[in-house]
Amino acid sequence: MKYVGKKILTMLLTLLLVSFLVFLCFTVIPGDPAVAKLGTEASPEALAALREEMGLNRPFMVRYMDWLLSFMRGNLGESYSYESSVGELLGDKVPITITMSLMSMLMIVVISIPLGLYTAHHEGGILDKVIYAAGQVIMAVPAFFAGILITLLFGIILKLFTPGGYVSYSKDFGAFLAYMFFPSLAIALPKSAMTVKLLRSGMIEEKKQDYVRTAYSRGNNTKGVLYKHVLKNALLPIITFLGMTFTDIIAGSIVVEQVFGIPGIGRILLTSISRRDYPVVMAVIVCLAAVVIVVSTLVDLLYQRLDPRIRLEVRK
Amino acid sequence: MLEIRDLNIEFHDHSVPETVVYDFDLSMKEGDIVGIVGESGSGKTMSALALCGLLARHDMEKRGQILFEGKELLTCSRQEMRTLQGKEISIIFQEPMTSLNPVKTIGWQVEESLRLHTDLSKEERRERALWALREAELAEPEKVYEQYPHELSGGMRQRVMIAAAIVCQPKILVADEPTTALDVTIQAQIIQLLLKLNKEQKTAILFISHDLSLVRRLCRRVVVMQNGYIVEQGDVEEIFRSPREKYTKRLIASIPSCDRKKTERDYSGAPEIFRAENIAAGYSASAGLFGKGGGKEVLKGISFSMKKGEILGLVGESGCGKSTLARILVGLKKDYRGSLTGAADKVGMVFQDPYGSLNPAKSVGWILEEPLRLRGGISGADRRRLVLEMLQKVGLEESIAGRYPRQLSGGQRQRVCIGLALMSGPEVLVADEAVSALDVTIQAQILKLLLKLRDEMGLAILFISHDLRVVYQICDRVMIMQNGEIVEEGTPRKIYFEHSHPYTAQLLEASGVLG
């Protein structure tokens, strides 16, 4: 319990640091929300008045504390460029991105673990070689390019989905999930290729361990040795890898949303940055950071569930 | 019960087929204890693995017959073999630290053979596993049942391996160097345990070891192997009394004996070159996360001195602080209390593992040159000359300089390690279990080399070992260490025959050195 409390405290401190750094960033980089709003043709007086009105003339720490206090009260502020509050603006977009990320994650697990097991079991076989070669290629394809290829193949040639035909989850949840399938796949494919390779080599490495010989000596067949003994040991590094991958998935989703025309937070983040719409940017980044930190904490906890050697240290 | 005839094992992974076992014959009856003795590469482990059906590589060929209760094991299907593995024929291995699956509970692992070979219920399996753990003399079997391998010591893990091996009450237990990685006192306990199982369960034991004296304590019959051939077999005592073959004679002769008449050198006139006073050190358990971190005191005020040309033995069990002391002496561990005076900055070290201690990607010449390069100010030609001189000094040919560690034998590698330790011109050499990983005949050669270097260079050597025979043979003075303290110190004769501390007596008793 104490351990979990400690973890949560660390998470909160990390979030605080992230928010401060992002706030600092936007103070330092060139660009002015007032100019973004009124245009470069606006008179200096009008700009000065708007800056005063938006509170941009106050000292940095005052603005940050102001933002932090209202954020903690649940008030994410008003968007500079959209005529609505940040909370409303993001409220219906965050679920889209989260759904897509979780779907990708699930796909990576579903694709890579069976393939990793298969290739490790049939090391050197024809299918192993084919999967290995295909994996090398797929690994090198960035998610957005995979998105373009998938749109071309499944959308335009095979007509399995309508490119750009996004359906809102509030309208038809089934159709929403169906549309999200291919964008998620675009993110998951390169990551799956990496995971397969990692699991395969991990299993093959584990197969050389002494306890494997012990397992054979008790009368296990190869399948029994792989599933009952090797798999759990080989999965441990994979879990760490998947935890780190989740960050990449979220980052990847921002670009992939553009390719598939999905109105997730990716699109709003990009427009908000170019319009210097700081309240929106701050909220998005802090939300994403929170998700990433929560996931990595969960991975830590899961790892401890699976590896008794770590569990002991925690108990101590 | 078991009849092995003309077993030949051949590897085909190189262009020329390589035979590792020639015409191996062995027969065992119920309740027999047979030892197979030989050095690494003699084929003893290969023969045993073949019996257990664990040599199933595609690039090897096995010929001959292994008849187990009339069943031919070499030609039977793997499926048939699996019905015997763990049920009728079990094996325990040398490395108890790594032979258990780290992420499964002990109970799960001990029960595995039961799950594979019987249809006992969960409850019955648990009962049976607890019986096996008790039989292997583990205190608190219920607790061990729930634990994971990393929570147990090496000796306990080997007991768990034995429990898992006997859980189905096999007819044959193959023990492949089961005590080599363990301390002497644990070693003696495991030997006792095997004897008990043999007596009570009538389990036949095939005991494989490089240690002839250990085989003598356990087995009635022994098979001596060399280079894949059986050179001699018969009654253990008879072979000890009148070995027929030259190789057997050499094996027996290379067992260092503890002769009461050992001549002891007098060092009263020699200058003292090294002194350690009140060395104390500990390891703090990684503190911070929860505040107070309970540290562990490993060394509790160790004092000793060494004279020029003296070989000082340091004996104790794993965890007593021997290696920590060695690390302090060579400067690898800096957080200690107490003082080192004399040639404290001229200490070289030879490690136990001649395989892992040398960088595999560099040539021997490069490795030996490194201390000189680091010191600087020596020309390339001079460095090469010094390296060649050192190779000669440690009994290696000059051509070795161009080779890589993997191309050398274990003995050659340990010579390189000794040369490396001497490259920086030390006056004190710390040898931490420097011969423990070597075969007896190689061991004898390395010990001879150390004595020669001592005589030529006046080196003082701190010889850390758990092998009481070797210590008696080579050391001028011996310190016995227990729980971070020196409990007794004196000449080998005094320590071995007139000791006063009970722990010294216990160690000597367990090692069986005094016959």
Side-chain angles (χ1 to χ4, degrees), chain B residues 266-330:
Chain B
D266 180 19
Y267 282 92
S268 51
E272 180 182 303
I273 58 166
F274 184 80
R275 175 176 282 277
E277 256 166 307
N278 271 319
I279 302 293
Y283 286 101
S284 51
S286 60
L289 201 60
F290 302 118
K292 54 182 188 291
K296 198 181 158 217
E297 197 72 350
V298 184
L299 295 176
K300 301 164 187 165
I302 303 275
S303 300
F304 66 93
S305 66
M306 288 174 82
K307 292 189 166 161
K308 196 173 167 65
E310 186 185 31
I311 301 183
L312 175 60
L314 178 60
V315 176
E317 292 180 90
S318 329
C320 75
K322 290 179 302 197
S323 294
T324 308
L325 182 63
R327 286 167 56 83
I328 290 173
L329 297 184
V330 293

Side-chain angles (χ1 to χ4, degrees), chain A residues 13-24:
Chain A
L13 283 175
T14 314
L15 274 181
L16 193 69
L17 191 69
V18 167
S19 72
F20 180 79
L21 288 178
V22 176
F23 210 93
L24 186 67

Side-chain angles (χ1 to χ4, degrees), chain A residues 2 5 12 30 36 42 88 90 103 125 137 142-143 149 153 168 182 202 231 255 264 270 278 299-300 314:
Chain A
K2 206 171 174 184
L12 291 177
E88 271 171 44
L90 295 182
M103 269 176 90
V137 175
L149 293 181
L153 181 64
S168 166
F182 288 102
L231 181 60
V255 186
L270 293 182
Y278 299 148
V299 167
D300 271 6
V314 172

Side-chain angles (χ1 to χ4, degrees), chain B residues 13-28:
Chain B
D13 52 350
H14 295 293
S15 50
V16 186
E18 185 190 356
T19 309
V20 290
V21 175
Y22 298 90
D23 304 331
F24 184 86
D25 287 294
L26 179 74
S27 67
M28 280 176 86

Side-chain angles (χ1 to χ4, degrees), chain B residues 86-135:
Chain B
K87 185 162 182 284
E88 305 289 350
I89 303 174
S90 282
I91 180 165
I92 54 176
F93 299 102
Q94 172 170 4
E95 267 305 327
M97 303 313 269
T98 52
S99 293
L100 291 165
N101 189 334
V103 300
K104 300 285 187 179
T105 62
I106 298 301
W108 189 91
Q109 303 192 49
V110 173
E111 280 175 12
E112 181 160 43
S113 296
L114 296 173
R115 278 194 304 274
L116 289 165
H117 301 296
T118 66
D119 37 21
L120 296 178
S121 72
K122 201 162 173 265
E123 223 9 79
E124 288 167 322
R125 283 203 304 264
R126 189 186 140 86
E127 276 309 306
R128 192 79 197 138
L130 289 175
W131 166 84
L133 290 171
R134 260 193 303 275
E135 204 57 23

Side-chain angles (χ1 to χ4, degrees), chain B residues 333-401:
Chain B
K333 183 171 164 60
K334 309 232 185 264
D335 51 332
Y336 62 91
R337 297 181 302 283
S339 68
L340 297 175
T341 47
D345 54 347
K346 287 191 173 168
V347 181
M349 175 136 182
V350 183
F351 297 92
Q352 169 169 10
D353 181 7
Y355 295 88
S357 304
L358 299 171
N359 184 341
K362 300 291 184 186
S363 71
V364 170
W366 190 97
I367 292 171
L368 288 177
E369 237 185 277
E370 190 167 32
L372 301 177
R373 269 195 307 274
L374 293 175
R375 200 197 298 164
I378 307 169
S379 73
D382 276 347
R383 286 203 303 262
R384 274 187 290 284
R385 183 178 50 79
L386 288 169
V387 164
L388 295 182
E389 279 176 18
M390 183 54 75
L391 283 174
Q392 205 184 7
K393 207 176 258 177
V394 296
L396 291 171
E397 282 172 33
E398 295 190 351
S399 62
I400 296 279

